[in-house]
Amino acid sequence: MTNNDHKIALVTGANKGIGFEIARKLAQQGIEVLMGVRDPSKGASAKQKLAAENLPAKMIEIDVTNPMAIQAAMGKIKDTYRRLDILVNNAGILIDSETSILNLDKTIFLNTLETNTFGPLLLSQAAIPIMKAGAYGRIVNVASTLGSLNDMANPDSSYQSVTAGAYRLSKTILNGITILLANELRGTNILVNSACPGWVRTDLGGREAPLSPAEGADTPVWLATLPDDGPTGGFFRERQPIPW
Ligand code: NAP
């Protein structure tokens, strides 16, 4: 038996990319993983892949832009398991990679915020009462160095040429949410942190990226399984703190 036995984790956007690898690594630790997916047909094949490795996982339908779907999913989790120990807000979109901030369209900005920012906030708000009842919680917001204000303001940053204002700012606000939630939850054994997975070869990251999805999943999984005296309100890449 490990300490992780009987722990329940919800990972959003778990059907592919980094989210799938986060689900796999958590399941490898004996954690019961609920794979949050917006399309059940994609979720079913992802779940099958894990089952083929003897890693049982369940699928739960959640479109993170749909507050009703979030409430329904959390209600189901509460009724079925009576607990939720880990929430990994991984689902994300990048739909303005070629767009300068000078031309950023409000609809694209709002759509990006709906998925990358409001979704994680609503999911956290719904999960926290369940976590409080169990006196245990780990929330991981999968953010990005691209959302770091420190990095944006650094003229020598290798990301200076990256545009994607909607994506970058959605992750900046997500990081703010991490800090505010962590402040609110100090002393509750609910630890809230942001992770940058690094630049990862996925549909979002592209083929040129140096890291595999499994490598990208490492820091989020580490934060999802922190001990009780682990950090909260931090931003981490390669398991090390990085500037906001
Ligand atoms: P990905 O392969 O494109 O996967 C994104 C996942 O999010 C998919 O499962 C997708 O589902 C899901 N998703 C998108 N919109 C959703 C919604 N409204 N509701 C529920 N699920 C939704 O991307 P990835 O690279 O693994 O990205 C995972 C996270 O890492 C994102 O938050 C991303 O911003 C972050 N990140 C990635 C990189 C990188 O280099 N790849 C770097 C820094 C941060 P569908 O299959 O249904 O579309």
Side-chain angles (χ1 to χ4, degrees):
M1 261 210 181
T2 69
N3 287 340
N4 290 324
D5 280 336
H6 308 303
K7 283 203 167 63
I8 309 281
L10 170 62
V11 182
T12 64
N15 55 290
K16 67 176 183 181
I18 299 165
F20 177 75
E21 291 297 335
I22 293 171
R24 173 188 262 154
K25 285 179 188 288
L26 291 175
Q28 284 168 343
Q29 295 192 32
I31 294 168
E32 182 153 1
V33 178
L34 310 176
M35 304 175 80
V37 300
R38 63 173 160 179
D39 178 344
S41 65
K42 289 184 195 165
S45 53
K47 195 180 122 178
Q48 249 170 14
K49 262 198 224 166
L50 291 189
E53 296 172 23
N54 274 328
L55 296 172
K58 300 217 164 60
M59 184 174 67
I60 186 156
E61 193 175 337
I62 308 181
D63 181 331
V64 303
T65 64
N66 181 345
M68 303 282 276
I70 290 174
Q71 285 308 325
M74 283 298 174
K76 218 182 206 176
I77 291 170
K78 199 174 165 195
D79 291 348
T80 311
Y81 303 99
R82 311 234 159 261
R83 63 188 295 165
L84 179 63
D85 303 291
I86 297 165
L87 168 65
V88 184
N89 284 311
N90 164 78
I93 55 169
L94 166 50
I95 53 174
D96 67 328
S97 56
E98 305 297 326
T99 309
S100 152
I101 189 80
L102 297 176
N103 306 316
L104 177 57
D105 174 84
K106 185 179 164 191
T107 307
I108 288 183
F109 198 1
L110 278 175
N111 286 345
T112 304
L113 288 171
E114 292 275 5
T115 303
N116 294 4
T117 314
F118 304 148
L121 175 61
L122 294 180
L123 274 151
S124 302
Q125 288 171 338
I128 286 164
I130 310 175
M131 290 176 168
K132 275 188 174 165
Y136 182 96
R138 302 289 181 264
I139 298 176
V140 183
N141 290 324
V142 182
S144 170
T145 303
L146 288 176
S148 157
L149 287 173
N150 191 74
D151 196 88
M152 285 181 209
N154 175 5
D156 298 325
S157 163
S158 51
Y159 298 120
Q160 269 300 318
S161 61
V162 178
T163 49
Y167 179 79
R168 299 187 74 163
L169 294 168
S170 73
K171 298 294 191 181
T172 310
I173 306 174
L174 180 61
N175 277 342
I177 290 170
T178 294
I179 297 172
L180 294 179
L181 286 177
N183 289 349
E184 193 74 34
L185 293 167
R186 256 171 234 285
T188 62
N189 198 21
I190 301 172
L191 307 178
V192 189
N193 291 288
S194 280
C196 173
W199 186 21
V200 181
R201 281 186 305 280
T202 62
D203 287 346
L204 187 150
R207 289 187 191 163
E208 305 301 313
L211 299 179
S212 69
E215 288 168 323
D218 178 71
T219 296
V221 168
W222 171 67
L223 291 170
T225 52
L226 285 173
D228 291 352
D229 62 354
T232 190
F235 186 22
F236 297 87
R237 188 179 56 223
E238 294 176 357
R239 301 191 182 197
Q240 297 301 316
I242 56 171
W244 298 107

